[in-house]
């Protein structure tokens, strides 16, 4: 596995690959790799000739009260996983090179970045789009692999890639879950034993509501969101939102629209998000 710590270092390697006609897949991560990340790596490995992975805990996307300093950074373990997954290049950017003291530029996707997660984490998506734009400009991949787990992030990055003509195809991969349904997340490691035992209820309530919408037992998406809210209202933490929105625009859905049932839940100091994407629903 090759490695690089600067944009120029990455570019030198990927430009050579491109000259040889290789298809390059890119998986950006914040490390603390788990089976969710692995599914992205496997998909990239299957579909591309070269796989590039970045690990960077991006300060720009963390709010002042968030977990930037305590975010897990098990680098030796991550390297081992990346070698097992046959990663070709690990990009480990140096923070001072990506964000020198006089760094001033921000990339943002208006409106989409201010809804849902954006409302509760001001500036978060601008941090995400800025770093991913920088990473894409260094790696210049053919395909960008993202997880459905972070549905709004995937929507926003797809929009950014189109609007700014990055020429990259975005591939969104299904959410990978533990056997009890909890979506894998690097942040699950923070949960206390009791909170971890309760956490699968989030996905259970989503599947119940999605099932009722699919079967026609619930007729309106907002009734499905209300059911999720009822199911999660007496938990140990705080429900931030449970919504049913148009799966691409995040607006109020009309009959027949694809729907995203999405939840954010504060459990102790850990913020969990999850969602279900429903392409078809209702009896008709
Ligand atoms: P992160 O390291 O949390 O920034 O995530 C890196 C990428 O992995 C993002 O595209 C995430 O959406 C994706 N990802 C994280 N958790 C999962 C999961 N449980 N299933 C599928 N993809 C995931």
């Amino acid at each position: 596995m090759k490695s690089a710590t600067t944009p120029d270092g990455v570019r030198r390697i990927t430009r050579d690959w491109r000259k040889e006609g290789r298809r390059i897949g890119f998986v950006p991560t914040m490390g603390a790799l788990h089976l969710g990340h692995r599914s992205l790596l496997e998909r990239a490995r299957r579909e591309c000739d070269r796989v590039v992975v970045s690990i960077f805990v991006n300060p720009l996307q963390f709010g002042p009260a968030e977990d930037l300093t305590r975010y897990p950074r098990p680098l030796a373990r991550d390297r081992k996983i990346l070698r097992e997954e046959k990663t070709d290049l690990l990009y480990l950017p140096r923070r001072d090179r990506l964000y020198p003291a006089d760094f001033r530029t921000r990339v943002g996707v208006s409106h989409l970045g201010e809804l849902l997660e954006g409302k509760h984490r001001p500036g978060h998506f601008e941090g995400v789009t800025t770093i991913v734009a920088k990473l894409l400009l260094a790696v210049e991949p053919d395909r960008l692999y993202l997880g459905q787990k972070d549905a709004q992030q995937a929507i926003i990055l797809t929009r950014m890639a189109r609007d700014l003509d990055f020429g990259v195809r975005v591939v969104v991969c299904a959410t990978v879950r533990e056997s009890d349904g909890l979506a894998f997340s690097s942040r699950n490691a923070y949960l206390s034993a009791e909170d971890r035992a309760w956490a699968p209820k989030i996905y259970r309530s989503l599947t119940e509501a999605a099932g009722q919408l699919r079967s026609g037992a619930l007729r309106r998406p907002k009734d499905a969101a209300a059911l999720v809210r009822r199911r999660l209202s007496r938990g140990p933490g705080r429900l931030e939102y449970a919504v049913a929105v148009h799966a691409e625009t995040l607006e109020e859905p009309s009959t027949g629209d694809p729907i995203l049932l999405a939840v954010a839940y504060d459990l102790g100091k850990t913020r969990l998000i999850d969602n279900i994407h429903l392409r078809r629903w209702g009896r008709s």
Side-chain angles (χ1 to χ4, degrees):
M1 182 168 72
K2 293 176 189 289
S3 80
T5 57
T6 62
D8 285 342
V10 169
R11 227 172 261 132
R12 265 196 297 277
I13 297 169
T14 57
R15 288 205 169 155
D16 281 349
W17 288 340
R18 201 158 308 101
K19 266 187 233 143
E20 296 166 5
R22 312 284 185 196
R23 179 189 287 164
I24 300 171
F26 176 46
V27 184
T29 81
M30 298 204 299
L33 303 177
H34 50 64
L35 291 180
H37 298 112
R38 278 196 194 235
S39 74
L40 272 53
L41 300 173
E42 280 162 18
R43 175 97 180 254
R45 185 72 279 163
R46 276 203 307 280
E47 296 181 352
C48 303
D49 305 305
R50 295 288 181 268
V51 176
V52 182
V53 175
S54 63
I55 295 183
F56 184 60
V57 182
N58 173 36
L60 227 54
Q61 72 192 66
F62 284 74
E66 293 181 8
D67 54 346
L68 174 64
T69 50
R70 68 181 185 130
Y71 198 86
R73 291 169 171 84
L75 188 55
R77 189 177 162 276
D78 285 349
R79 280 185 197 276
K80 184 165 168 279
I81 291 174
L82 294 177
R83 275 194 294 266
E84 282 167 15
E85 298 293 345
K86 304 193 169 39
T87 302
D88 296 289
L89 170 60
L90 169 58
Y91 180 21
L92 267 178
R94 281 180 30 195
R95 182 173 166 170
D96 57 341
R97 284 297 299 273
L98 281 198
Y99 300 126
D102 57 353
F103 185 87
R104 300 196 64 82
T105 302
R106 293 289 184 280
V107 178
V109 174
S110 63
H111 187 59
L112 285 174
E114 282 121 46
L115 307 172
L116 302 180
E117 286 294 287
K119 246 189 238 159
H120 297 270
R121 303 181 70 188
H124 168 69
F125 284 117
E126 210 175 70
V128 171
T129 40
T130 302
I131 186 65
V132 175
K134 282 167 73 71
L135 296 170
L136 288 172
L137 288 167
V139 177
E140 298 179 286
D142 298 284
R143 294 191 186 185
L144 170 66
Y145 291 86
L146 303 171
Q148 174 65 22
K149 157 82 168 35
D150 300 283
Q152 187 176 6
Q153 172 172 284
I155 290 169
I156 288 173
L157 290 174
T158 304
R159 184 79 262 154
M160 176 192 80
R162 281 198 204 135
D163 287 353
L164 295 184
D165 309 313
F166 272 97
V168 69
R169 186 196 297 184
V170 179
V171 181
V172 181
C173 306
T175 303
V176 181
R177 301 176 179 283
E178 307 229 27
S179 53
D180 60 10
L182 178 65
F184 277 102
S185 163
S186 309
R187 291 190 163 102
N188 292 351
Y190 303 149
L191 295 174
S192 69
E194 299 88 75
D195 287 348
R196 173 65 190 80
W198 184 87
K201 204 162 174 174
I202 296 172
Y203 182 58
R204 275 207 298 278
S205 66
L206 283 170
T207 45
E208 182 190 359
Q212 295 205 14
L213 204 52
R214 235 180 241 125
S215 71
L218 287 175
R219 295 220 334 277
R220 297 177 307 178
K222 64 178 173 193
D223 297 334
L227 175 61
V228 174
R229 277 197 290 277
R230 278 203 304 283
R231 291 288 182 262
L232 298 180
S233 63
R234 278 193 305 276
R238 194 175 64 86
L239 178 67
E240 231 169 47
Y241 61 78
V243 294
V245 292
H246 188 296
E248 281 136 36
T249 63
L250 304 178
E251 302 291 347
E252 181 87 27
S254 307
T255 308
D257 285 343
I259 281 178
L260 190 72
L261 255 179
V263 168
Y265 194 92
D266 271 333
L267 199 47
K269 280 191 184 153
T270 309
R271 193 162 181 287
L272 299 177
I273 57 169
D274 203 349
N275 68 81
I276 287 185
H277 185 178
L278 271 165
R279 278 182 194 80
R280 286 175 201 285
W281 50 280
R283 283 203 197 93
S284 51

